[in-house]
């Protein structure tokens, strides 16, 4: 039971691209490649630096460098315009350049992944890039002032966010694998008693004993019949299997009748 040890063997339902849904469809190979790279980078970081923090900016730079290909079929800007800086913000929508920019945003949906529309409005850059499958990203994490951004700079902004999503997914998958390993090691099963589960009750940390009700497909334990000394209430909880230690698993004592049979057998 719980045989999976390699994240790439996880079921498809556990590997959905929750942030950018287009990655679940025609661009799914890019998502799987991103997950592979994310796992590889996290493995290397843990091996080389232990528990030191892997800063997101460093991770994204490593992620982009490690991708098998640039992941874009084009590197062109399909629209590049500027509005009148004297035009008040509230009336910007009436500007012909702004209307052309909004129209270009719609046309991006038919362009290859990586196509870009740019507009400079009152000294600030507005950016749109086709991420794929008709999904248009505004690259909100990118700078909006200063020199005109390059095509690659804009595309790397998109790749950085996809790397962030891949990293989040990879970290969740690593928790699942840790759960599976603990389930194998402790042979956890429904009906077993788990002692001293550390939970918050009435603002205090309390140790509560539970019975395992069920185990999810991702290795989380649904606990029931929680007993806390001094309380008549019964509690429920959900915890990750990796958080349970061998000392918390209560081994049932042999029944007296069974012990008596063993003793009688030993006398003959």
């Amino acid at each position: 039971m719980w045989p999976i040890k390699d994240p790439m063997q996880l079921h498809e339902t556990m590997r959905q691209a929750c942030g950018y849904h287009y990655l679940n469809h025609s661009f799914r190979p890019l998502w799987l490649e991103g997950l592979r790279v994310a796992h590889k980078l996290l493995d290397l970081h843990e091996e080389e630096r232990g528990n030191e923090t892997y800063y997101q900016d460093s991770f994204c730079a490593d992620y982009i460098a490690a991708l098998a290909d640039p992941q874009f079929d084009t590197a062109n800007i399909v629209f590049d315009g500027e509005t009148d800086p004297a035009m008040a913000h509230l009336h910007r929508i009436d500007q012909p350049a702004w209307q052309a920019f909004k129209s270009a945003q719609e046309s991006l949906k038919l362009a290859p992944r990586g196509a870009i529309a740019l507009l400079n409005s009152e000294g600030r850059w507005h950016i749109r890039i086709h991420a794929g499958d008709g999904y248009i990203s505004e690259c909100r994490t990118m700078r909006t002032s200063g020199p005109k951004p390059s095509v690659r700079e804009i595309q790397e902004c998109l790749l950085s966010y996809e790397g962030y999503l891949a990293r989040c997914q990879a970290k969740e998958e690593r928790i699942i694998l840790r759960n599976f390993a603990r389930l194998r090691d402790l042979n956890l099963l429904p009906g077993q008693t788990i002692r001293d589960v550390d939970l918050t009750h009435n603002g205090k940390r309390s140790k509560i004993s539970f019975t395992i009700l069920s185990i999810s497909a991702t290795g989380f334990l649904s606990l029931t019949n929680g007993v806390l000394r001094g309380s008549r209430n019964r509690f429920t909880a959900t915890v990750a299997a990796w958080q349970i230690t061998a000392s918390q698993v209560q081994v049932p004592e042999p029944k007296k009748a069974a012990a008596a049979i063993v003793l009688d057998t030993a006398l003959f």
Side-chain angles (χ1 to χ4, degrees):
M1 197 173 185
W2 319 110
I4 296 176
K5 299 180 181 180
D6 183 344
M8 304 313 286
Q9 297 175 343
L10 289 171
H11 194 272
E12 285 289 301
T13 57
M14 300 179 189
R15 320 208 77 198
Q16 300 301 305
C18 298
Y20 280 177
H21 300 292
Y22 70 86
L23 288 169
N24 292 323
H25 303 294
S26 61
F27 290 95
R28 186 163 182 77
L30 301 183
W31 175 239
L32 295 179
E33 168 66 6
L35 284 178
R36 185 194 66 79
V37 169
H39 277 293
K40 177 182 177 181
L41 292 175
L42 292 174
D43 285 340
L44 289 173
H45 187 77
E46 290 179 5
E47 180 181 338
E48 295 176 357
R49 304 189 182 184
N51 295 323
E52 291 184 23
T53 302
Y54 199 162
Y55 292 105
Q56 186 61 34
D57 287 348
S58 299
F59 176 86
C60 286
D62 294 341
Y63 174 85
I64 293 172
L67 291 174
D69 57 69
Q71 299 201 346
F72 296 110
D73 297 326
T74 184
N76 64 310
I77 297 178
V78 299
F79 179 85
D80 188 351
E82 185 173 344
T83 59
D84 183 357
M87 177 65 72
H89 176 75
L90 292 178
H91 300 286
R92 184 176 60 192
I93 194 169
D94 297 325
Q95 276 270 19
W98 185 262
Q99 292 176 351
F101 174 67
K102 301 297 286 186
S103 176
Q105 176 177 314
E106 289 301 311
S107 67
L108 283 180
K109 296 179 180 179
L110 302 177
R113 169 174 157 90
I116 297 166
L118 272 175
L119 182 72
N120 187 292
S121 173
E122 300 177 354
R124 303 192 68 83
W125 294 103
H126 299 270
I127 304 166
R128 302 292 186 271
I129 181 171
H130 184 207
D133 257 7
Y135 184 90
I136 306 301
S137 172
E138 297 182 8
C139 294
R140 292 179 180 271
T141 60
M142 191 179 163
R143 64 175 177 84
T144 58
S145 60
K148 179 178 178 179
S150 67
V151 169
R152 187 56 185 172
E153 189 178 2
I154 297 170
Q155 292 177 339
E156 287 188 354
C157 176
L158 173 65
L159 291 177
S160 293
Y161 187 63
E162 292 179 358
Y164 165 77
L165 296 177
R167 177 180 184 172
C168 291
Q169 177 67 27
K171 292 177 75 172
E172 290 183 7
E173 292 180 0
R174 294 161 92 81
I175 290 175
I176 292 173
L177 294 183
R178 290 174 69 186
N179 286 344
F180 287 178
R182 190 57 52 89
L183 288 166
R184 290 193 302 267
D185 294 343
L186 301 184
N187 193 29
L188 295 175
L189 297 169
Q192 290 178 317
T193 298
I194 305 297
R195 299 176 298 190
D196 298 333
V197 178
D198 195 12
L199 296 175
T200 300
H201 173 62
N202 289 337
K204 298 180 180 178
R205 300 299 295 179
S206 304
K207 294 186 180 298
I208 304 176
S209 294
F210 289 94
T211 299
I212 300 177
L213 177 64
S214 61
I215 303 174
S216 75
T218 53
F220 285 81
L221 308 180
S222 178
L223 306 178
T224 188
N225 293 330
V227 178
L228 177 64
R229 180 176 296 181
S231 174
R232 294 160 56 179
N233 297 328
R234 290 295 179 265
F235 303 89
T236 61
T238 300
V239 299
W242 71 264
Q243 296 176 303
I244 304 301
T245 63
S247 62
Q248 290 179 270
V249 183
Q250 181 174 318
V251 179
E253 296 181 1
K255 294 182 179 180
K256 292 183 179 179
I261 293 174
V262 172
L263 180 61
D264 290 342
T265 303
L267 294 176
F268 291 97

